[in-house]
Structures are given as structure tokens and as C-alpha cells.
Amino acid sequence: QAKSQEKAGYFLFNQELREKLEQQKMISKYLHTALERKEFVLHYQPQINAISGEMIGMEALIRWNHPEKGLIGPGTFIAAVEEAGLMTQLTDWVLREVCSQLRCWREEGLALLRTSINISNSCFYNRNLIEDLFAVLDQYQLDTEVLEFEITESTALLEEHFPLLQQMRDCGIKVSIDDFGTKYSSLNYLKHFPVNKIKIDRTFISGIGISTIDETIIKSIVFVASQLNYDLIAEGVETAEQADFLIKHHCPNIQGFYFFKPLPADEIRNFMI
Ligand code: C2E
Ligand code: MG
Ligand code: MG
Ligand code: MG
């Protein structure tokens, strides 16, 4: 009995894995074409100061508008992009798209909000990252202050990236650590990071009201961030209870479904002034 269940489980796992691999193959095969055909779109998720209700920034999040399958989230294809060696190309597209959008909004007379872009580890191996960035900013006549780069802890931790991070900071580009607290829990390394901002990961936020451990971790992150002068934002806030907790514990900057889901550019426009 147990044995056959084990076998069935193994079979299921195998099938799932096979489907996943097939999907990955399909994705990497069409990625080039997708880039050429401009099938990618960006959605923008507002970041809110929960005390004032003001929108303080937004994050650009990529989606693939597949001709048959419709809108596909990045969770399904980002790994394939990495594997296909297309991440630099994709990030370049994201950067250009964001800048062109910001430029449009500015021409409409809207006040620009700082927009963050996710920069994956592999992009840091592009030695011209900063030159390329400035070329794009120049083309759209935008200042560095309109952008923020989100990197993960594993990127931030690599000492070989420090010079580039330092250079970014020197040119006024904000850099934040995404998914903070999920990978390396030692707070000691924070003192070495040439970054400005911490994004508390959703896994802790979802524990608010449920797990005192998560609540304690959040309070500790808030304390450390304020002592070390890091800006702070909480990700994945879905409920009023979570928002209230964060306000009460001095983390009023919030990004999450409770306020806004990521929205297409023309919908975000309605919330800008
Ligand atoms: P991330 O950078 O941590 O982005 C936040 C993710 O959490 C987004 O998922 C967002 O839709 C989701 N989210 C925001 N608020 C809530 C909430 O209240 N509840 C829940 N359950 N989820 C929430 P998304 O758009 O699917 O992106 C997933 C990940 O894909 C991103 O995580 C980021 O690591 C990556 N990604 C997205 N766009 C890009 C991109 O342009 N370049 C790169 N390299 N990675 C990207
Ligand atoms: Mg992010
Ligand atoms: Mg995150
Ligand atoms: Mg995440």
C-alpha cells in the first residue's frame, strides 16, 4: 500500500516536473521572439504612506502578454530568462520602457514618482551597467532620482558588487534590498551595504496577528533600519490589521494588495497628480 502510494507520488512528481520542463523549454524558445514582438508589458504597483495616504513611489513589474495564453506572471518565466542568458536584454527593455513611460507622464504635466526596477544578480556582471543606465536617462532626459533599483540580498552580499553599488549611490541612484530577511538573517552585514532602503518581505507581513515571531522580526528590522538610517517599506500588505500593525510600529510605507495591485500604466495614471 505504502509502496504504491510512494510510486504514485513519484509518478506525479515526475509528471509535474516534466510539465514544468516542457513549459520552460517552450518559454526559452519563444523569449527571443517575445522580445522582438514586444509581448512584454509592465504593470506598476503603487507604494503608499499609510499615514498620509500619499503615493510615494511605485514598482515596475513585468508580465508577458502571450498571444495564446494571455498575461503570464514573472514567476513563470524569469528563471527561463536567466537560463537563456537574456536577462541583461530584458532588463534593458524594462529600463527603457519605464523611462519612456515616465517621460510621457512628465510631458502630460504629472509629478513623477520614483519608480523601482528589479535588477537581477546577472545584470551586475555587465560592467557597463551604469554607463548604459546614463545613456538611457540621457535619451529620455530624466534624472537619476526618478529611479530606484531593487536587488536581492544575495546580490547585495557579494563583495565583488560593492564598487558598482557604491558607484550607483554616488550618482544618486537609490538601491533597495528586496525580499529582506528571507535569505541571510545576519544583521551584521547591513553595516557594509552601500544601499539605501530595505523592503521587508511578505512572508513576515503575512504573520502579523498570527505569529509573534514574525511580529518580533518585523519590529527588529524596523529598529535596525532606523538606527542605521535605512529607508523602509513593507511588501505584500493585504489587510487592515497588517497595515495598522505596521503604522503602530513605525513602518508606514506600504506596498501591497490592501492598497493597490500592480496596474497597467493607463490605470496608474488616474492616481497620479
Ligand atoms: P518582487 O520584486 O518581490 O515583487 C513583489 C511581488 O509581490 C510582485 O509579484 C507583486 O505583484 C506581489 N505582491 C505585491 N503586493 C502583494 C500582496 O499584497 N500580496 C501578494 N500575495 N503578493 C503581492 P510579481 O509581479 O508576480 O513578481 C514576482 C517577482 O518577479 C518579483 O518579486 C521579482 O523578483 C520578479 N520580477 C518582476 N518583474 C521583474 C523584472 O522586470 N525584472 C526582474 N529581474 N525580475 C522581476
Ligand atoms: Mg521587487
Ligand atoms: Mg519583494
Ligand atoms: Mg518577492
Side-chain angles (χ1 to χ4, degrees), residues 10-26:
Y10 179 70
F11 175 73
L12 246 175
F13 173 71
N14 238 339
Q15 181 141 320
E16 241 174 66
L17 197 68
R18 204 169 48 225
E19 273 167 24
K20 220 177 146 186
L21 284 174
E22 294 276 299
Q23 202 183 17
Q24 279 231 335
K25 252 180 25 206
M26 186 281 285

Side-chain angles (χ1 to χ4, degrees), residues 1-269:
Q1 172 76 37
K3 198 115 211 166
S4 72
Q5 255 174 21
E6 213 174 87
K7 256 195 178 155
Y10 179 70
F11 175 73
L12 246 175
F13 173 71
N14 238 339
Q15 181 141 320
E16 241 174 66
L17 197 68
R18 204 169 48 225
E19 273 167 24
K20 220 177 146 186
L21 284 174
E22 294 276 299
Q23 202 183 17
Q24 279 231 335
K25 252 180 25 206
M26 186 281 285
I27 288 169
S28 39
K29 197 169 144 199
Y30 285 107
L31 272 173
H32 283 102
T33 329
L35 265 165
E36 277 161 23
R37 291 188 188 157
K38 305 193 190 320
E39 287 175 1
F40 292 104
V41 285
L42 292 181
H43 282 189
Y44 297 86
Q45 187 176 31
Q47 300 171 334
I48 306 293
N49 179 303
I51 296 172
S52 66
E54 248 182 316
M55 196 156 132
I56 50 171
M58 55 190 156
E59 177 173 10
L61 294 158
I62 199 165
R63 276 95 183 85
W64 181 1
N65 199 357
H66 193 280
E68 283 136 41
K69 296 175 200 283
L71 223 53
I72 304 175
T76 325
F77 62 84
I78 281 292
V81 173
E82 287 281 11
E83 258 163 65
L86 291 169
M87 193 44 99
T88 301
Q89 218 176 312
L90 191 80
T91 307
D92 185 62
W93 178 83
V94 172
L95 176 67
R96 279 168 194 284
E97 183 66 17
V98 165
C99 288
S100 129
Q101 185 59 68
L102 290 173
R103 179 62 202 242
C104 282
W105 280 330
R106 195 173 66 189
E107 273 166 13
E108 286 183 59
L110 299 166
L112 296 190
L113 292 167
R114 192 187 283 275
T115 304
S116 62
I117 293 175
N118 292 283
I119 306 284
S120 87
N121 190 36
S122 58
C123 295
F124 273 78
Y125 294 100
N126 169 16
R127 286 292 140 201
N128 300 321
L129 186 60
I130 295 194
E131 282 89 343
D132 292 352
L133 170 71
F134 273 98
V136 176
L137 284 171
D138 216 45
Q139 185 188 339
Y140 293 96
Q141 295 184 308
L142 295 166
D143 294 322
T144 47
E145 293 74 298
V146 298
L147 291 182
E148 178 171 312
F149 283 171
E150 294 191 8
I151 61 176
T152 60
E153 285 169 303
S154 20
T155 303
L157 201 66
L158 285 175
E159 265 179 59
E160 52 186 331
H161 295 333
F162 281 17
L164 207 55
L165 287 168
Q166 192 68 55
Q167 232 180 308
M168 284 179 184
R169 179 146 89 175
D170 294 343
C171 346
I173 302 158
K174 276 213 173 188
V175 179
S176 60
I177 303 182
D178 209 350
D179 308 335
F180 184 81
T182 52
K183 295 256 166 62
Y184 303 94
S185 36
S186 161
L187 292 174
N188 181 50
Y189 71 100
L190 267 183
K191 67 181 181 205
H192 304 298
F193 279 169
V195 303
N196 314 84
K197 187 170 165 185
I198 288 169
K199 300 190 82 179
I200 307 177
D201 192 64
R202 175 159 62 93
T203 49
F204 304 115
I205 307 304
S206 62
I208 292 173
I210 299 163
S211 149
T212 43
I213 297 178
D214 284 334
E215 291 181 352
T216 304
I217 291 172
I218 293 168
K219 287 188 265 183
S220 313
I221 296 175
V222 172
F223 178 73
V224 171
S226 81
Q227 293 296 305
L228 300 181
N229 280 320
Y230 282 95
D231 289 342
L232 197 61
I233 188 164
E235 288 197 278
V237 178
E238 294 182 343
T239 68
E241 186 191 6
Q242 292 166 356
D244 289 343
F245 177 93
L246 289 161
I247 291 171
K248 189 172 156 211
H249 294 96
H250 315 293
C251 181
N253 295 342
I254 282 171
Q255 181 181 342
F257 296 171
Y258 177 60
F259 285 110
F260 288 102
K261 293 205 164 171
L263 297 168
D266 57 337
E267 283 178 49
I268 282 289
R269 200 205 162 289

